[in-house]
Amino acid sequence: LSKLPAVPQAAFNSFDKRHDPICLPGTRVDLIRNIITWVDGLDERCIFWLNGLAGTGKSTIARTVAQACQEKNCLGASFFFSRGGGNTSHAGKFFVSIAWQLANMSPSLRRYICEAIAEHSDISDRSLRDQWYQLILRPLSQSNDNSPQSPLVLVVDALDECNDEKDIRMIIQLLAEARSLTRVRLRIFMTSRPEIPIRHGVYQIPEAGHQDFVLHNISPAVVDHDISLFLEHNFGTIRAERAFSADWPGDLVIRRLVQNACGLFIWAATACRFVSQGKQFAKRRLSIILKEEASSTAPEKTLNEIYTTVLSNSVGQDYDDEEKKEVYKNLKRILGSIVVLLSPLSAVALATLLNIPRDDINQTLEDLHAVLDIPQEHDRPIRLHHPSFRDFLLDGKRCNDVNLRVNEKQAHKSLAEYCIELLSATLKQDICGMRAPGTLATAINSGEFQQYLPLEVQYTCIYWVQHLQRSGTQLHDDDQVHRFLQEHLLHWLEALSWMGKTSEGILAILSLEAQIPADKSPNLYAFVHDAKRFVLYNRLVIEQAPLQLYCSALIFAPEKSIVRRRFEKCIPTWIQRKPRVQANWSAALQTLEGHSSWVTSVA
């Protein structure tokens, strides 16, 4: 089971989600009741699909459903997708994580899932269809743990935040096959934004296979009642913390805030955090919201305005023009990086990656707790409270202030450059100081590992190519990327190997090759093409013993290999000084050639 690259952070009750709320008592009552009735009932529709606009509370409802099912001992697994959350947005981690949770939930399922892994050791590298069938559908068909009358629930939140539209389509089609199960009554509760077409004609799901519920079609009176309870609860907490009078903020203010929210719980939550973070200035911040938000009527517009208010308030009004220019520059640089990161980073890691003082990060983000989850521990990752904040900053039609708006391609380009600069300054041969070329990747523990490869370096190793792709940058001979690869290709692959991420390196090289125009950049294309052949040929040995990159991988490479010629200097001197060693390896190569069957041992 440990061979599955599961993502524990994707589960609804993971440590990273410990502060994420569930529905307050008295809110969403009818909807939650309907969902639980569907879970317990004999309705043939195995999928309950809840869709709603950004900020309408889908994830909070999903957590509430998962919590309720866990208390009823019928929760099988949960996966909360999160764009920019690293592996939590990766479709390839979805089914393996579901299987991992199912195995830990049920001894019978554990047996069959482990048998599937033993039978297909490469299952995590196979197609989504193979993973679904081998790790989930077949074990559920074999298990005797659940009677057909007992439900088993999977909760899948924010499917639209999976990073590939084709993968979303495949996941939906595969989950619909749950109807074929007879030994267990599998229930799948899913949420997404309405941008995902959920009609059976688009995703080929039988009409009888799923039940749709459109969250933003609930009666406005019901939604306003729930938002009112939410605001009363949160302002009651603020009132107690600040020792305000018992009648603060008053029914009239609550009603105005409900009206301004336009049915969006995220607006109400952002407003509450903004006021709360004001501390002794909480009343003044409430006045700012009431003054600036009173005229809005469209949900998206009102969300744009609350985000603009929060950001503008973080820039001191008593600053002179030069100081404001500097603050906006830092805001754009730091926020622009945070919203396009492909996996969240801590303030410490972000400061190192962007090459700016950590104090600048802390001061810039000091007044942005309303939109960012900023942990007190500086080594824990900074996260967005809600993905709609990313959408706002990246959309020029929604973020009207040029001082705040983030150009997505430019942000990715800057991050790619920061990544390459950090890797160039950090990577080197034998970065973990192991010395012995035969040292296995498993020989170093995680504590020692992070000493040599801090989290920001691990991030850059995995994601620099993706940032480059998303920037739309054209690659050329002798550019920054070409120079980096010529100097650090093997160092980068070594680091990935210590991290257990050789597969990600191979995918990155394949992506780079596809991005380079062979006719316009022949030298760079030839180098990357040769690097692809080199790493694919040596994958097995690199994964097991990273330092063999500089020994057997280079020596066994063809003499005309560009990678071999470029990095021949990296071959250990004890090999270079002994021609007999080279001759013996050459003889071994000749010995291994031309056999009609496996060679099982060589002396």
Side-chain angles (χ1 to χ4, degrees), residues 544-557:
Q544 294 179 47
L547 296 182
Q548 286 299 311
L549 272 163
Y550 311 105
C551 298
S552 59
L554 279 179
I555 289 170
F556 286 135

Side-chain angles (χ1 to χ4, degrees), residues 391-596:
D391 300 339
F392 164 75
L393 278 181
L394 299 180
D395 189 339
K397 295 178 181 177
R398 294 182 58 185
C399 183
N400 297 321
D401 191 336
V402 293
N403 293 313
L404 301 174
R405 188 187 314 143
V406 174
N407 182 311
E408 186 172 4
K409 287 192 172 183
Q410 183 58 50
H412 279 296
K413 182 180 179 182
S414 298
L415 271 178
E417 292 170 353
Y418 293 137
C419 287
I420 292 173
E421 289 169 6
L422 178 60
L423 291 176
S424 299
T426 307
L427 297 182
K428 61 180 181 178
Q429 185 171 343
D430 191 13
I431 193 168
C432 297
M434 294 290 106
R435 296 189 179 181
T439 305
L440 297 179
T442 53
I444 185 169
N445 63 49
S446 58
E448 294 175 317
F449 177 71
Q450 293 209 8
Q451 174 187 345
Y452 302 109
L453 291 167
L455 290 176
E456 62 272 17
V457 178
Q458 294 181 45
Y459 177 92
T460 54
C461 282
I462 296 171
Y463 294 114
W464 72 271
V465 173
Q466 290 191 43
H467 283 303
L468 193 68
Q469 280 183 303
R470 296 179 187 217
S471 71
T473 301
Q474 291 295 313
L475 302 179
H476 304 284
D477 287 347
D478 301 318
D479 64 4
Q480 184 190 31
V481 172
H482 195 177
R483 294 194 301 273
F484 168 74
L485 291 173
Q486 287 179 316
E487 189 67 29
H488 296 290
L489 171 68
L490 297 194
H491 305 154
W492 171 51
L493 292 173
E494 180 201 335
L496 287 169
S497 180
W498 289 120
M499 294 159 55
K501 300 289 185 181
T502 304
S503 295
E504 280 81 347
I506 292 172
L507 289 173
I509 290 172
L510 292 172
S511 300
L512 269 179
E513 184 184 32
Q515 192 177 349
I516 301 167
D519 55 336
K520 296 180 180 177
S521 309
N523 295 332
L524 176 57
Y525 182 83
F527 186 92
V528 173
H529 180 72
D530 194 65
K532 177 188 75 173
R533 297 178 65 198
F534 176 83
V535 72
L536 286 173
Y537 185 81
N538 294 289
R539 174 178 181 170
L540 290 176
V541 69
I542 293 171
E543 286 180 328
Q544 294 179 47
L547 296 182
Q548 286 299 311
L549 272 163
Y550 311 105
C551 298
S552 59
L554 279 179
I555 289 170
F556 286 135
E559 291 184 0
K560 293 182 179 179
S561 163
I562 300 172
V563 171
R564 172 170 173 160
R565 292 205 307 267
R566 182 73 194 180
F567 292 99
E568 210 153 16
K569 61 186 178 186
C570 296
I571 297 174
T573 52
W574 64 269
I575 295 176
Q576 292 178 13
R577 291 198 200 104
K578 297 183 178 179
R580 209 170 89 191
V581 175
Q582 294 270 21
N584 285 345
W585 256 319
S586 298
L589 272 174
Q590 292 173 10
T591 304
L592 289 169
E593 289 175 352
H595 289 274
S596 60

